[in-house]
Each structure stands twice: as C-alpha cells, then as structure tokens.
Amino acid sequence: MPIYLDGHSTTPLAPEAMEAMLPWWHAQAGNPHSPHLRGMLASQAVENARAELASFIGSDQQELVFTSGATEANNIAIRGTAFAALERGIKRRGIVVSAIEHKSVLSSASALRSAGFRIIEAPVDESGIVDTSVLEQLVSHDTLLVSVMAVNNEVGSIQPLSDVVHIARTIGALVHVDAAQGLGKLSFDSADFDFASLSAHKMYGPMGIGALFVSSATHLRPLPVLFGGGQEAGIRPGTVPTPLAVGFGAAAKVSRTRFIADAAHSRALSALFLEELRSRQVRFIENVPEAKRVPGSLSLRFTENDAMSIIAKAGDRIAISEGSACTSGQITPSHVLLSMGLTQQQASETVRIYFSRYNSAADAVEAAGVLSEIVSR
Ligand code: PMP
C-alpha cells in the first residue's frame, strides 16, 4: 500500500479505538435509546465516551451533542443559531466567517441569505491567517455570530482564536469555532466559545461521527436542523451510533495522553521530510511558515509542476492530496489558496501533506525520495 500522508482528509483509526468499538457492533449491540438492559449498557457506553470527549476539550458532558461529523455540527451551529435568533426575535442579522472556512461553514452561512442574513467574509493574510484588524472592522452590533476555524484543513494555518473571541465578545456576538482540524493538534479549551464543531476521523477516531459543543453559558441555543426524535437534548435527533461514539471516546482518551508526543512526532517527521527534499535539491515553497502551522502539516508548492500530475505519478507509492479533498476532482482552484493571494497557477502547483502519529521516519525519507524523482527542477 502507498504510504499514507493525507491525514488532513482523514487520519487512520487508532488501534485502541478499533478495539473499543468492536463488541458494540455485534456481541454487545444495542440501541442506546432502548429501555432494556442491552440498551442501557449501550447508553452507558455512549455516556462514558461523551465524558472522555468532554474531559479532552474541558467541557461538561451535557455540553456535547453527537452528530454525524463536523459538517453536520457546522450546519447546526450556523443555521440552528440563525433560526433560533429569528424565533426569539433577536434582530442581529450579520454572520461573519473567515474566507478560508470549510465549505460546510461557507455554504451553511450563504444559504441563510434568503432568510435575511448578511454574510460577511473576513480576509486572511498570505499565510492563511485571519486578519484580525480587518475582522474588527467587519463586526458590528448587527453581528449575531462570528465563525472562525481553529486550523485550516488545506494549509494547516493556526487561527488567532483568542483575538477572534475578544473581538466578537466586545460587540456581543456569539462565537463558533470549527475545531475539526485543531483537536488533538493544538491545546483547545472549549470554555472560550459558544459552539465548537468536532470530527472523530480527524483525530484517529472513526468516520461518521462528530460532535457539537454547545456552551451551557450561551444565551442562544441552536434549533435543530433535522427533525425526528428528541435525542441529543433535542438538538440532533436520530439514533446515536454506539460503536462510533465509543470509538470517538477511545480516540479522545488516547489523544489526551499522547497530545505532546503526537505533536513532537509529527513536527520531527515533517522537518525530516523537508530536509530530505532539500538534500535532493528539490525546489519548493512552503505556503505557510513553520511557526504558523500545526505540527506535521505542510502546504508545498512545486513551481512549474502540476499538483494533480504529481499526485497521479506518486499514487502507487504515496497518498497525498492537492488543495482540499472535498473539492478534489473539480477544476476550480482552492478558495483557501486564492484567498491567501496565490494565483490560479500557483494554487494548481500546491500539494498538502500531513505526517500523522502512525507515520515513521522511513515514511518521511521515502516520500521525499519519491517526490524528488517526480518533481522537475
Ligand atoms: N471542517 C473542517 C475544517 C474539515 O477539515 C472537515 C473535513 N474535511 C469538515 C469540517 C467536515 O468534517 P466531517 O467530514 O466530519 O463532516
């Protein structure tokens, strides 16, 4: 199998999470909302998982709502909050998002235009970091919600969340953070935010589950965007998938204990990889400098080389992506790279690489070797 270096799209499942999930598919299967013993055991397992996740992000268990992933959590945070404001007669109609948010934030927000909301995009600098001096001018007493991600999924840039929170709070706006790519990579304290979106498969948990943190201190609880049973405190109906929740909890437990070691490991591997590229005289440009990105994450531009053709040529030996996996296959260049000021040509020369917990030094050396064969100098 090719060496896997696409952890921005999804990280491999932690073996501890896989083991924890296993019995809940068959031997101990039960719907956590059923009244019998099997149901109660499943419910207990879901609540234990919620507790693990809560202790990882420094929240209360009751503040976490399981969802199908960060996409759904973002939809609830943005649409659910907007509709709650309409229902409660709150007059604020501004929603400010950064220009480099994931499509699930950008599209959730733009879809609210027809309901009378004004969507304002805050620009980023050349390193993919929200320009807080501009953000400050874009918010006003009409701003209902400010939504900025913790870490960008295409380039790994770390966002200045404490400044964002300060700016939003000063004018009385709510704060949502899409933490899908931040959790497990950066220290993260939910206490600062009203809402935070999480995704298990970006932190060595299973695909198909995420969570929305809804602060107990927030003055506006989002309305559900789906309608059905009253599960998950009425915010997200549907059966909570016991095995996935258990896997998410187990992954959070591992990440909590390995947090510092994970960062050091990922940082060392990406540094080794870059060193190997340089020693082979491969020319590249780092779109985001080391100090501004999460450990292990690289957005690299190989001038005069088309990213899609690099990826195809390297495909049987290394798995890497161009731009965002969510838009891969489309010809449109990444909105993130364009927002950072790259030209369409420069964006098309960019690949993204992530060295995860399960990569080795040998992977980093081999990947550099593969790229040095493919990339023309
Ligand atoms: N937000 C960000 C920043 C992401 O990277 C992703 C996944 N690419 C999502 C949201 C969507 O997450 P999920 O796959 O869990 O729906």
Side-chain angles (χ1 to χ4, degrees), residues 24-151:
W24 299 101
W25 294 109
H26 183 86
Q28 288 171 226
N31 184 323
H33 315 291
S34 296
H36 46 64
L37 180 62
R38 294 279 286 250
M40 285 189 275
L41 291 173
S43 166
Q44 224 164 55
V46 167
E47 293 319 311
N48 290 342
R50 204 190 303 273
E52 281 297 350
L53 191 56
S55 81
F56 187 40
I57 67 163
S59 77
D60 275 354
Q61 257 169 273
Q62 295 81 350
E63 293 176 307
L64 283 171
V65 170
F66 283 121
T67 64
S68 60
T71 296
E72 190 182 3
N74 286 339
N75 273 263
I76 300 171
I78 294 172
R79 293 178 67 71
T81 302
F83 288 123
L86 290 178
E87 191 181 81
R88 290 256 302 268
I90 294 170
K91 296 277 183 292
R92 292 177 181 238
R93 291 290 175 268
I95 296 180
V96 179
V97 296
S98 90
I100 57 163
E101 293 302 306
H102 188 262
K103 292 284 180 195
S104 55
V105 165
L106 294 177
S107 306
S108 295
S110 351
L112 287 167
R113 288 204 167 98
S114 56
F117 287 87
R118 282 190 312 118
I119 313 305
I120 302 157
E121 280 190 14
V124 295
D125 67 14
E126 71 284 356
S127 302
I129 295 173
V130 173
D131 189 330
T132 47
S133 58
V134 179
L135 180 72
E136 205 161 11
Q137 286 156 26
L138 295 177
V139 297
S140 71
H141 285 97
D142 182 51
T143 308
L144 174 68
L145 180 70
V146 175
S147 177
V148 173
M149 65 202 331
V151 170

Side-chain angles (χ1 to χ4, degrees), residues 99-102 124-125 128 149 152-155 157 324 333-342:
I100 57 163
E101 293 302 306
H102 188 262
V124 295
D125 67 14
M149 65 202 331
N152 180 266
N153 50 308
E154 294 188 36
V155 298
S157 52
S324 159
S334 144
H335 69 287
V336 174
L337 297 172
L338 296 185
S339 301
M340 288 162 62
L342 269 67

Side-chain angles (χ1 to χ4, degrees), residues 39-352:
M40 285 189 275
L41 291 173
S43 166
Q44 224 164 55
V46 167
E47 293 319 311
N48 290 342
R50 204 190 303 273
E52 281 297 350
L53 191 56
S55 81
F56 187 40
I57 67 163
S59 77
D60 275 354
Q61 257 169 273
Q62 295 81 350
E63 293 176 307
L64 283 171
V65 170
F66 283 121
T67 64
S68 60
T71 296
E72 190 182 3
N74 286 339
N75 273 263
I76 300 171
I78 294 172
R79 293 178 67 71
T81 302
F83 288 123
L86 290 178
E87 191 181 81
R88 290 256 302 268
I90 294 170
K91 296 277 183 292
R92 292 177 181 238
R93 291 290 175 268
I95 296 180
V96 179
V97 296
S98 90
I100 57 163
E101 293 302 306
H102 188 262
K103 292 284 180 195
S104 55
V105 165
L106 294 177
S107 306
S108 295
S110 351
L112 287 167
R113 288 204 167 98
S114 56
F117 287 87
R118 282 190 312 118
I119 313 305
I120 302 157
E121 280 190 14
V124 295
D125 67 14
E126 71 284 356
S127 302
I129 295 173
V130 173
D131 189 330
T132 47
S133 58
V134 179
L135 180 72
E136 205 161 11
Q137 286 156 26
L138 295 177
V139 297
S140 71
H141 285 97
D142 182 51
T143 308
L144 174 68
L145 180 70
V146 175
S147 177
V148 173
M149 65 202 331
V151 170
N152 180 266
N153 50 308
E154 294 188 36
V155 298
S157 52
I158 302 170
Q159 302 305 315
L161 290 184
S162 54
D163 293 343
V164 170
V165 169
H166 176 74
I167 291 167
R169 296 273 183 245
T170 306
I171 46 93
L174 297 161
V175 184
H176 167 242
V177 52
D178 174 355
Q181 297 282 348
L183 206 60
K185 299 181 184 126
L186 284 180
S187 64
F188 180 84
D189 188 354
S190 60
D192 298 337
F193 316 112
D194 293 284
F195 318 114
S197 302
L198 318 174
S199 176
H201 73 108
K202 311 290 185 185
M203 46 168 283
Y204 310 105
M207 285 178 162
I209 189 159
L212 178 66
F213 160 79
V214 179
S215 168
S216 54
T218 192
H219 62 83
L220 193 62
R221 276 177 78 73
L223 291 178
V225 298
L226 297 174
F227 296 89
Q231 296 97 336
E232 296 300 280
I235 292 182
R236 200 280 185 168
T239 303
V240 174
T242 313
L244 301 184
V246 168
F248 196 1
K253 186 175 179 182
V254 178
S255 287
R256 186 155 52 90
T257 53
R258 290 184 57 152
F259 178 68
I260 293 175
D262 275 353
H265 177 73
S266 290
R267 181 180 290 113
L269 294 191
S270 56
L272 171 63
F273 169 77
L274 294 182
E275 207 178 285
E276 288 288 321
L277 280 185
R278 286 189 191 103
S279 75
R280 291 168 159 87
Q281 277 88 46
V282 178
R283 280 197 302 129
F284 62 89
I285 294 163
E286 288 181 71
N287 288 327
V288 182
E290 177 166 11
K292 297 183 177 179
R293 54 176 151 82
V294 282
S297 167
L298 296 171
S299 171
L300 301 183
R301 208 161 94 214
F302 296 100
T303 37
E304 290 167 33
N305 284 270
D306 180 52
M308 288 310 282
S309 114
I310 296 178
I311 292 160
K313 285 183 195 154
D316 57 345
R317 289 174 291 167
I318 53 174
I320 56 175
S321 351
E322 48 69 73
S324 159
C326 309
T327 50
S328 286
Q330 291 179 14
I331 308 149
T332 46
S334 144
H335 69 287
V336 174
L337 297 172
L338 296 185
S339 301
M340 288 162 62
L342 269 67
T343 61
Q344 294 212 2
Q345 166 75 23
Q346 291 167 333
S348 73
E349 297 166 347
T350 293
V351 299
R352 67 173 179 167

